[in-house]
Amino acid sequence: MTTLLAGDIGGTKTLLATYRLETGELVQLRCERFVSAAWDDFPALVRQFLAGGAAGSEAPSHGCLAIAGPVQDGLVRLTNLPWELDELELTAECGLRRLELVNDFAVLIYGLPHLGEQQQAVVREGVAQPGPLAILGAGTGLGVAIGVPGAQGLIALASEAAHAEFAPRLEREWRLKQWLQHDLSLERVSIERIVSGTGLGHVFRWFLHEAGSGAPHGLAEAAGAWALAELHGEAERPDLPALVAAAAASDDPTAAAALDLWLGAYGCVAGDLALQSLCRGGLWLGGGTAAKLLPQLRSQAFLGPLAAKGRLTPVLQQIPLRALIDPEAGLFSAACRARMLLD
């Protein structure tokens, strides 16, 4: 039996876990959650976790830590924490034989081929073929990653595709883009500004602007009767996307229209990623919206624009489409990568 270390490190919380490899399967031994900001020294945090194992338990030999930030040559500086992590230094300080730092969205690539039924849900059936995999996930932002088959297994390619220019398909999407650029004082509007959880809030605010009236009845109830001025004044209000989705589920017409536009833009971007990567092995949808909006992602509001790519529509219709619904998928995927390092 072999013990592995896995971690999912973000600005708010750090999850660390040990896994045992039994007959080729990963079995989680223990997991602990830490408040990231409470630690100035990240290696000390890892050492404390490792010291908390049962007496006589085997220390991990290999590990992978998923980090909320760009990793370059084994080095990463976290955006919201005073941590500068060095892969080689961490390996020695934590007593491991090998450790790898991977971007926290790109790491999901390593877990996709090993997901159990309870970790994913079918959005649309397809025919998986040998080739790349891809994942994009609308959460607070929009993550994008591609997995390319290599001699030792998948190679995860991190991507900043979410910051490409948003390309309107429809006249109303053009009006939305122009309004959002002015409203947020932007030089340009990226895909992520619209295709993300935060983006759903922006789309709804634009609908209110277009209507020129106060919050519709359904949302007013859900949001505690906000005034329109308050909605416009809090463009980054974190609970607004969830309120919009709840109001749409309650048949509020403005919220439903906003969600429909958002789903169309998301579907179009998903189809573009499928063309760019030719992910014949499958396309996954992640992020916080994957589980929360699963019925909507299975609707034609999303699937129609995804497949509407002219002559290449038949290619997209063959690609399996799944939603990643496991909230600890990052930790599991880091463990999958740690297992690959054994070779």
Side-chain angles (χ1 to χ4, degrees):
M1 293 186 293
T2 301
T3 303
L4 305 170
L5 172 67
D8 191 355
I9 292 89
T12 302
K13 71 178 186 300
T14 289
L15 291 176
L16 293 176
T18 51
Y19 287 79
R20 184 170 59 221
L21 191 59
E22 296 182 0
T23 62
E25 297 296 325
L26 289 168
V27 178
Q28 190 180 100
L29 300 176
R30 53 186 289 259
C31 180
E32 192 168 348
R33 183 185 189 277
F34 299 87
V35 178
S36 300
W39 295 80
D40 294 327
D41 182 19
F42 179 71
L45 186 160
V46 179
R47 290 194 296 269
Q48 174 165 313
F49 169 75
L50 294 176
S57 60
E58 181 185 21
S61 60
H62 293 67
C64 174
L65 302 178
I67 310 289
V71 180
Q72 183 70 38
D73 297 325
L75 303 173
V76 61
R77 174 182 293 179
L78 273 75
T79 305
N80 298 316
L81 289 171
W83 294 348
E84 295 185 19
L85 308 185
D86 183 309
E87 197 171 85
L88 294 178
E89 290 180 1
L90 271 173
T91 302
E93 291 175 345
C94 298
L96 301 172
R97 288 173 54 191
R98 189 173 177 191
L99 175 72
E100 185 171 275
L101 305 180
V102 183
N103 171 265
D104 64 341
F105 198 83
V107 78
L108 297 173
I109 289 293
Y110 297 119
L112 296 181
H114 309 290
L115 294 174
E117 292 184 2
Q118 75 282 4
Q119 294 174 290
Q120 59 184 327
V122 174
V123 176
R124 187 196 63 194
E125 296 286 359
V127 181
Q129 301 177 28
L133 310 177
I135 181 170
L136 75 165
T140 302
L142 180 67
V144 179
I146 299 168
V148 180
Q152 303 300 320
L154 284 173
I155 300 169
L157 305 178
S159 173
E160 294 295 343
H163 297 284
E165 192 82 14
F166 176 72
R169 299 170 300 129
L170 309 169
E171 194 272 338
R172 64 176 184 171
E173 288 184 354
W174 172 256
R175 298 201 311 273
L176 165 64
K177 180 179 180 179
Q178 297 301 302
W179 174 83
L180 189 59
Q181 185 169 357
H182 178 266
D183 184 68
L184 298 182
S185 300
L186 302 172
E187 292 185 4
R188 58 188 290 275
V189 176
S190 68
I191 293 169
E192 186 179 62
R193 291 288 185 180
I194 294 171
V195 181
S196 62
T198 304
L200 176 56
H202 290 324
V203 172
F204 177 77
R205 294 191 308 110
W206 172 72
F207 269 93
L208 292 182
H209 168 79
E210 288 269 296
S213 60
H217 179 68
L219 188 73
E221 289 182 345
W226 291 343
L228 176 61
E230 183 180 2
L231 284 168
H232 276 278
E234 299 190 38
E236 304 297 331
R237 183 164 179 153
D239 56 348
L240 181 55
L243 291 167
V244 174
S250 299
D251 297 323
D252 178 85
T254 304
L259 182 58
D260 186 74
L261 188 154
W262 182 85
L263 286 166
Y266 191 7
C268 182
V269 170
D272 287 345
L273 176 61
L275 292 179
Q276 291 156 0
S277 61
L278 279 182
C279 51
R280 299 181 188 274
L283 175 63
W284 275 262
L285 306 171
T289 58
K292 296 174 183 175
L293 296 176
L294 187 56
Q296 290 85 349
L297 294 174
R298 288 169 169 161
S299 72
Q300 279 303 112
F302 176 81
L303 295 177
L306 185 152
K309 301 299 180 183
R311 291 171 292 171
L312 289 174
T313 292
V315 174
L316 294 184
Q317 290 174 333
Q318 292 295 310
I319 294 175
L321 185 61
R322 298 182 177 90
L324 181 56
I325 58 176
D326 180 6
E328 291 192 2
L331 195 64
F332 172 77
S333 299
C336 290
R337 178 56 182 167
R339 174 173 56 185
M340 294 175 67
L341 298 180
L342 293 171
D343 299 329

